[in-house]
Amino acid sequence: MLIPGHIDPVVTPRAITPRSDGRIDLMGLSHLQIRQLFEESQLDEKAAKLRSKQVFHWIYHRGVTDFESMTDISKTMRPWLADRFVIGRPEVVEAHVSSDGTRKWLLRTDDAQDYEMVFIPDADRGTLCISSQVGCTLNCRFCHTGTMRLVRNLTPGEIVGQVMLARDVLGEWPKGNMAFASADEDDDDDVGHYTADGRMLTNIVLMGMGEPLYNFDNVRDAMKIVMHGDGLGLSRRRITLSTSGVVPMMARAGEEINVNLAVSLHGVTKEVRDELVPLNRKYGIDELLRACAEYPGISNARRITFEYVMLKDKNDSDEDAHQLVSLIRQYKLPAKVNLIPFNPWPGADYECSDPERIKRFSSIVFEAGISAPVRTPRGRDIMAACGQLKSSSEKKSRAELDRLAEEKQVALG
Ligand code: SAH
Ligand code: SF4
């Protein structure tokens, strides 16, 4: 049984594992790690420093997957690299496009674990929803991922590989001398928009499978590459990490990753949140909201997003909406609320609130001066909603679901 702990509850594959042919996949490795590997492969210090910088740029900034395309590396050096290293991508098992333009991919790791990624194009932005784990140790009762056993954490390569793959598919690697927007771009608005070079993929949300703060190191290392000016060059303001409330890791997330924070609240009383998000029994609402108030860098320009899934007769009353407002006020949180219509799945215990109820809930929160938009369901025809990833074929009986929930609860202590 895997025991979720404060920091990193599950076994993580080593980031640097040679493949069966002995070559090492450079995907997900930092500049320093690539440099160290080159030194271990007998390049002298000066050459390792220069070559690692060039290779890092080609891999992450240009998106190349073969050493032959690295034109500023000598023709004799390229086969030397190809003999020792590869630049991988996640294997695509299935790719779907919804009638509304949403795309979903089922991906497979080298050890045959499946995980999913979704791209949601909007008029003013394109959001990629990526996974951090295969399955999840937590067991939120309304979440389909919660019904799966955690298989393992994704490596930095598998996390950053999702973004790289999306850029491949969307054809969004820079060509010629096309300039990237700087990673430090100084736009204080948190509304995404097409960048000057017309890219579709403008935003990333860690809202796919898994709890990112239970795979902290790998998520951090992957996001560092995504944000690096010579890497994928995405501003931290365009990245949002969603947590179910792993309180002990929130301050570190703010210090070491410092992307936008989303918190899956879903309930405003102990009773309801204990049921919906069992982690609440370990880290309660007050503790969670205190950690939110202390999250580095929050301001009216950079608010915390509270996700709130709308469940009929469970958490959707006027009283719930008023309580939500008073909690946000009590902790003086610069906050916005994302109301998510529940996306049903086979065997789920809940129903989605009626549209009228959701509207009423939203207007109560809005009237208190807090933005509370209702998230439009996207890609329903391909089961693409974030938080409902992984194929629907894995149906479990109610008894199995309860047993799994119980096991995970015991593990939480
Ligand atoms: N583990 C993290 C991130 C992944 S879940 C977290 O819980 O925050 C991403 C979001 O999708 C969460 O807010 C989650 O509560 C929501 N979600 C999960 N299942 C859902 C469903 N069936 N319908 C609507 N939203 C769901
Ligand atoms: Fe895990 Fe998030 Fe689903 Fe909860 S909502 S089970 S934390 S993926």
Side-chain angles (χ1 to χ4, degrees):
M1 184 71 218
L2 301 162
I3 310 293
H6 275 206
I7 300 201
D8 196 349
V10 292
V11 179
T12 304
R14 278 175 50 223
I16 305 177
T17 312
R19 302 183 335 163
S20 52
D21 65 4
R23 293 188 296 170
I24 291 173
D25 191 348
L26 297 180
M27 260 316 269
L29 301 190
S30 66
H31 175 205
L32 189 66
Q33 285 172 310
I34 296 174
R35 185 172 153 182
Q36 281 164 348
L37 278 178
F38 286 2
E39 282 179 16
E40 284 163 22
S41 305
Q42 313 306 323
L43 274 194
D44 68 50
E45 209 184 308
K46 204 168 147 227
K49 189 175 171 189
L50 172 69
R51 297 305 178 202
S52 57
K53 193 170 182 328
Q54 290 170 313
V55 167
F56 184 92
H57 174 90
W58 280 111
I59 295 178
Y60 299 117
H61 202 84
R62 298 277 166 174
V64 307
T65 49
D66 67 297
F67 296 102
E68 265 318 304
S69 311
M70 301 184 177
T71 47
D72 59 358
I73 291 179
S74 71
K75 282 208 169 92
T76 49
M77 179 83 198
R78 293 179 215 163
W80 183 91
L81 286 165
D83 282 346
R84 290 163 179 78
F85 306 105
V86 286
I87 305 160
R89 287 288 190 271
E91 180 193 342
V92 177
V93 185
E94 286 172 32
H96 304 272
V97 185
S98 160
S99 51
D100 68 10
T102 302
R103 291 163 179 255
K104 179 173 89 164
W105 293 267
L106 182 65
L107 306 175
R108 185 161 292 167
T109 64
D110 287 345
D111 57 345
Q113 306 298 342
D114 291 352
Y115 59 108
E116 291 194 355
M117 161 175 102
V118 173
F119 178 68
I120 305 158
D122 272 310
D124 61 348
R125 70 173 77 186
T127 305
L128 187 71
C129 176
I130 60 175
S131 295
S132 56
Q133 301 182 307
V134 179
C136 187
T137 45
L138 302 173
N139 195 68
C140 302
R141 244 191 129 89
F142 57 88
C143 171
H144 193 237
T145 307
T147 67
M148 297 164 210
R149 271 170 214 286
L150 176 89
V151 179
R152 69 166 172 81
N153 281 337
L154 292 174
T155 63
E158 289 156 352
I159 298 169
V160 80
Q162 296 171 66
V163 189
M164 313 263 306
L165 182 74
R167 273 208 177 150
D168 290 347
V169 176
L170 298 169
E172 299 203 331
W173 292 108
K175 295 171 192 76
N177 292 323
M178 189 192 272
F180 260 81
S182 159
D184 303 319
E185 78 188 84
D186 195 21
D187 59 359
D188 264 345
D189 71 330
D190 53 0
V191 180
H193 51 78
Y194 284 96
T195 49
D197 61 10
R199 260 190 261 111
M200 284 171 75
L201 198 174
T202 57
N203 293 54
I204 293 177
V205 293
L206 279 146
M207 291 186 186
M209 287 168 66
E211 169 48 60
L213 295 189
Y214 270 159
N215 185 16
F216 184 82
D217 289 354
N218 290 354
V219 166
R220 177 201 54 212
D221 294 351
M223 289 307 110
K224 288 228 144 89
I225 293 170
V226 170
M227 293 185 282
H228 197 293
D230 206 25
L232 283 91
L234 224 90
S235 161
R236 65 189 169 84
R237 295 172 203 285
R238 297 184 183 282
I239 302 173
T240 301
L241 182 151
S242 173
T243 180
S244 56
V246 184
V247 168
M249 297 307 293
M250 284 168 61
R252 261 189 83 191
E255 280 149 25
E256 296 178 34
I257 313 178
N258 200 226
V259 293
N260 302 322
L261 183 69
V263 172
S264 293
L265 193 62
H266 309 313
V268 289
T269 63
K270 176 167 168 48
E271 194 198 346
V272 172
R273 194 162 192 270
D274 274 358
E275 175 186 323
L276 298 177
V277 186
L279 188 64
N280 195 63
R281 298 176 205 174
K282 199 166 183 178
Y283 311 118
I285 294 176
D286 288 313
E287 217 180 320
L288 175 60
L289 297 183
R290 257 199 315 274
C292 289
E294 286 161 12
Y295 189 74
I298 51 162
S299 66
N300 275 334
R302 269 193 98 206
R303 292 168 207 222
I304 290 181
T305 303
F306 288 106
E307 291 154 281
Y308 199 94
V309 63
M310 297 302 297
L311 302 171
K312 189 172 191 166
D313 300 329
K314 179 51 69 180
N315 64 358
D316 61 352
S317 68
D318 286 4
E319 206 186 332
D320 290 317
H322 289 297
Q323 178 61 12
L324 178 58
V325 168
S326 89
L327 282 173
I328 290 172
R329 283 191 178 146
Q330 185 187 336
Y331 288 90
K332 301 189 175 61
L333 292 168
K336 54 190 171 190
V337 177
N338 236 341
L339 299 176
I340 316 171
F342 173 59
N343 200 359
W345 41 271
D349 284 336
Y350 305 103
E351 274 177 65
C352 185
S353 310
D354 298 329
E356 282 311 306
R357 184 90 294 272
I358 300 180
K359 240 194 246 163
R360 168 90 186 125
F361 193 106
S362 167
S363 55
I364 292 174
V365 182
F366 259 120
E367 277 158 25
I370 299 162
S371 161
V374 181
R375 204 204 273 170
T376 323
R378 297 291 303 270
R380 285 224 163 159
D381 51 338
I382 54 167
M383 300 259 306
C386 284
Q388 204 201 331
L389 303 181
K390 190 104 170 183
S391 66
S392 55
S393 58
E394 283 193 29
K395 285 180 200 160
K396 288 194 174 68
S397 69
R398 185 68 257 162
E400 276 177 291
L401 291 177
D402 285 344
R403 202 174 48 245
L404 197 59
E406 221 165 86
E407 272 180 21
K408 288 185 181 182
Q409 199 50 51
V410 169
L412 279 173

